[in-house]
C-alpha cells in the first residue's frame, strides 16, 4: 500500500482559517482578556493593600480619622509593621461621600435624562432632535477637568449666592429635612459635587436612552395610543417597560462614571478629610478625590500607598457590587409584560 502524502503546513493553516478556526480563537482570546485584566487589577490591589489591612483591620471602614502621621519623625514598628508615628486610616467619610454624591447624581440625572430622551425622540422635529442629540454627545466628551474648573469658578459660586441660600431658608426644620438647612458655604461641598456629577452622567444616560427609545416599534406606540392611552400613559406603560433592561444598563454606566469620577469632584468638594458634612452644602471628600489629592504626600511612605490601595479596593468592590445588582435587575425586568389599554 502506498504511503499517504505528508500534510503541508501551509495547507493546514489555510484550512484552519477558512473553516473559521482563527475567528473562534480570536473570539475566545477577546473574551478572556477582560477577565484577566480585571483579575490582574484585583489581585494587585489586594497584594498592595495587605499591609494596610493588617494595620487598620476593619476599622478603616468605620473610622473617621485619616492621618498621614509625623512625616519627618523616624518610623516606628508595631505588630511587625513599620509605619509613621501617629498614622491612622479611617475611610468612612470618603465612602459615604462617594455614595452620597453618586446618589444625588442619579436622583436628579435619571429623570432628566429619560425625559430628555423622550422629548428628543417623540416631540422634537428630526432636524432639531439631531442637533440636540449632537450637543448631548458633545457634552459627554468634555474632559472632566474642564467641567471641574467651571464648577469651581462659576457654577459653585452661583449655587452659593443664588440657590443654596433659598433652599436653606425654605427647607422645613424637621429631623430629616433639616439636612437641607445650614450655612450655604462658598460653593464647594456635597451639593456642588453631586450636581457636577449629574451634569457628567446625564449625557451617558440620555444618549443611551434615546437610542433605546428609537428602537421601540412605532406600531406598538401607535397601537397603545389608538386603544385610548395618553402620551404620558404610552410612555410610562409601553415605551419605558419595553426598554427597561436597557435603561438599567444605562443607569449603571452613569453610576460607574459617578463613582469613579476624580478630578472634577476633587476641584469642588472642599477636600475635608475625616469630616462628614453636617448639611447639604458642607465640605466633603470621596475615595477617588482623596487618592488624587494626597497621593503626592503618600508616595514616600509604603503604608500610605497601601492604605490608598485598600481605598481603591473598596471602590472597586462597590463598583462590582453595583454591576451585580444591575445584572439581577436586568434579569428581573427583561421579561416584563407590557400592559395595553387605558387603566391597566
Amino acid at each position: 500500500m502506498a504511503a499517504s502524502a505528508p500534510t503541508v503546513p501551509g495547507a493546514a493553516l489555510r484550512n484552519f482559517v477558512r473553516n473559521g478556526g482563527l475567528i473562534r480563537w480570536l473570539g475566545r482570546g477577546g473574551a478572556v482578556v477582560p477577565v484577566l485584566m480585571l483579575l490582574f487589577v484585583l489581585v494587585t490591589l489586594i497584594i498592595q493593600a495587605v499591609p494596610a489591612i493588617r494595620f487598620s483591620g476593619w476599622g478603616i471602614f468605620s473610622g473617621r480619622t485619616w492621618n498621614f502621621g509625623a512625616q519627618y519623625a523616624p518610623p516606628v514598628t508595631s505588630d511587625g509593621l513599620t509605619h509613621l508615628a501617629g498614622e491612622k486610616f479611617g475611610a468612612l467619610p470618603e465612602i459615604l461621600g462617594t455614595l452620597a454624591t453618586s446618589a444625588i447624581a442619579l436622583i436628579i440625572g435619571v429623570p432628566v435624562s429619560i425625559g430628555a430622551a423622550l422629548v428628543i425622540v417623540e416631540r422634537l422635529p428630526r432636524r432639531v432632535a439631531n442637533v440636540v442629540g449632537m450637543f448631548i454627545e458633545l457634552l459627554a466628551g468634555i474632559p472632566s477637568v474642564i467641567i471641574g474648573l467651571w464648577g469651581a469658578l462659576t457654577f459653585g459660586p452661583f449655587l452659593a449666592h443664588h440657590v443654596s441660600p433659598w433652599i436653606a431658608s425654605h427647607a422645613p426644620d424637621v429631623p430629616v429635612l433639616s439636612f437641607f438647612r445650614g450655612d450655604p458655604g462658598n460653593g464647594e461641598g456635597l451639593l456642588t459635587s453631586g450636581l457636577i456629577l449629574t451634569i457628567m452622567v446625564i449625557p451617558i444616560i440620555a444618549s443611551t436612552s434615546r437610542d433605546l427609545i428609537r428602537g421601540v416599534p412605532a406600531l406598538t406606540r401607535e397601537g397603545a395610543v389608538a386603544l385610548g392611552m395618553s402620551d404620558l400613559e404610552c410612555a410610562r406603560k409601553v415605551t419605558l417597560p419595553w426598554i427597561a433592561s436597557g435603561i438599567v444598563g444605562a443607569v449603571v454606566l452613569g453610576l460607574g462614571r459617578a463613582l469613579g469620577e476624580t478630578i472634577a469632584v476633587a476641584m469642588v468638594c472642599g477636600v475635608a478629610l475625616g469630616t462628614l458634612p453636617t448639611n447639604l452644602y458642607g465640605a466633603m471628600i470621596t475615595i477617588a478625590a482623596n487618592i488624587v489629592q494626597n497621593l503626592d504626600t503618600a508616595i514616600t511612605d509604603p503604608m500610605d500607598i497601601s492604605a490608598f490601595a485598600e481605598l481603591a479596593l473598596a471602590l472597586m468592590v462597590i463598583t462590582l457590587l453595583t454591576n451585580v445588582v444591575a445584572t439581577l435587575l436586568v434579569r428581573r425586568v427583561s421579561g416584563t409584560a407590557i400592559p395595553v389599554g387605558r387603566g391597566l
Side-chain angles (χ1 to χ4, degrees), residues 286-309:
T286 64
I287 293 176
N290 184 12
I291 294 174
V292 73
Q293 287 280 355
N294 299 296
L295 185 60
D296 58 341
T297 303
I299 202 68
T300 57
D301 182 15
M303 186 59 71
D304 290 344
I305 296 296
S306 180
F308 280 146

Side-chain angles (χ1 to χ4, degrees), residues 207-216 239 242-248 250:
S207 298
T208 307
S209 301
R210 178 199 60 185
D211 295 337
L212 291 170
I213 294 172
R214 284 177 175 172
V216 178
T239 302
W242 191 285
I243 61 172
S245 59
I247 288 180
V248 172

Side-chain angles (χ1 to χ4, degrees), residues 146-178:
I146 295 178
I147 296 180
L149 185 63
W150 170 76
L153 299 180
T154 304
F155 187 57
F158 172 79
L159 291 176
H161 291 105
H162 302 287
V163 178
S164 299
W166 186 89
I167 298 176
S169 60
H170 289 79
D173 191 9
V174 295
V176 176
L177 296 181
S178 61

Side-chain angles (χ1 to χ4, degrees), residues 44-65:
T44 302
L45 288 177
I46 291 175
I47 294 174
Q48 291 289 333
V50 166
I53 294 174
R54 292 175 55 196
F55 179 71
S56 301
W58 293 104
I60 192 172
F61 300 111
S62 58
R64 299 188 180 187
T65 302

